[in-house]
Amino acid sequence: MDGQEISTPPPLRPPFLPPLSTPFLFTPPSDTQIIPDIDWVCLLSAQSFVGADHQSKPKPVLETCPLMAGNGGEHGNKDKRKGSRFEKTIRPRFEFQTRSGEDILDDGYRWRKYGQKAVRNSNHPRSYYRCTHHTCNVKKQVQRLAKDSSIVVTTYQGIHNHPCEKLMETLTPLLKQMQFLSSFH
DNA sequence: CGTGTTTGACCAGCGC
DNA sequence: GCGCTGGTCAAACACG
């Protein structure tokens, strides 16, 4: 490497993430210029960061993926592999290509690695991650491109059913400050 | 001690 | 049926 800058992408919230409207009670002061009908989900979605240098256009697809049968997030069922463990279920899949030295993108969620496999036609292994939230079934796969090892391909499967912890941490003080400021009006 | 990672084994799907 | 490959499990281990 000739000292090329590797751009670490900012934390992102692609479209497969849950709507923020549920956990957020966003009540802007009545005399501010905040547009009430802003679609924050779209605003923060992948569409909004298409064009950034380090991001490629995400490829959202719907396809049938093997899914744990009756998985309610409970662990301890050792017979998960047997019988009707897998059933065909429509599960949203989103793929991102990111030019980064880091394999793990900070998307605000917590992930636990549960596997790693060497992949055919690639020098780089594929890593498997699962959201650590006990009620959440979202998974992601991280792999570097065989052609260009500086590009990380992250594939998300599923939709989070809980708020983004880091984003909540970030926005909570902001919201409190807004409420504080609005109390003067 | 709780949480996350590593890694070998296991299983299912698919092509031949 | 067999072998290959991708995906997952779970015990062992590391770390703060």
Side-chain angles (χ1 to χ4, degrees):
Chain A
M1 286 198 237
D2 50 344
Q4 73 169 38
E5 70 289 10
I6 294 174
S7 53
T8 303
L12 301 169
R13 286 185 56 79
F16 44 82
L17 300 177
L20 294 174
S21 54
T22 307
F24 279 99
L25 292 173
F26 187 68
T27 52
S30 57
D31 57 345
T32 58
Q33 293 291 326
I34 294 176
I35 304 168
D37 290 335
I38 282 181
D39 185 347
W40 292 98
V41 178
C42 287
L43 198 65
L44 294 169
S45 74
Q47 315 259 341
S48 65
F49 55 74
V50 167
D53 282 337
H54 48 265
Q55 295 291 143
S56 68
K57 187 168 187 169
K59 297 182 233 173
V61 290
L62 275 178
E63 61 179 35
T64 53
C65 303
L67 184 64
M68 297 277 191
N71 58 348
E74 299 300 326
H75 344 77
N77 181 0
K78 288 204 164 190
D79 279 336
K80 275 177 189 169
R81 287 174 172 231
K82 306 212 169 111
S84 60
R85 174 179 169 228
F86 290 103
E87 61 182 22
K88 289 287 184 181
T89 308
I90 297 293
R91 185 180 248 214
R93 245 172 92 119
F94 298 95
E95 180 182 306
F96 296 86
Q97 293 186 9
T98 306
R99 187 177 297 279
S100 171
E102 304 275 336
D103 282 350
I104 309 299
L105 302 181
D106 184 5
D107 53 14
Y109 289 92
R110 293 177 63 190
W111 301 93
R112 183 174 66 84
K113 188 175 185 176
Y114 67 87
Q116 177 173 306
K117 288 287 284 190
V119 187
R120 203 172 145 81
N121 298 327
S122 177
N123 296 328
H124 306 280
R126 176 183 298 159
S127 297
Y128 300 89
Y129 297 86
R130 180 175 294 151
C131 182
T132 60
H133 198 274
H134 46 286
T135 63
C136 186
N137 263 330
V138 178
K139 295 170 188 174
K140 75 172 177 181
Q141 300 176 1
V142 179
Q143 181 184 10
R144 289 195 175 271
L145 270 188
K147 286 187 290 185
D148 186 351
S149 62
S150 66
I151 295 180
V152 180
V153 180
T154 305
T155 305
Y156 292 86
Q157 293 182 7
I159 298 174
H160 291 280
N161 58 6
H162 59 96
C164 173
E165 296 172 15
K166 276 193 179 176
L167 199 66
M168 289 290 283
E169 287 176 15
T170 304
L171 291 184
T172 296
L174 284 174
L175 288 172
K176 284 186 177 176
Q177 189 175 9
M178 287 185 68
Q179 287 177 348
F180 175 74
L181 291 174
S182 67
S183 68
F184 290 101
H185 293 279

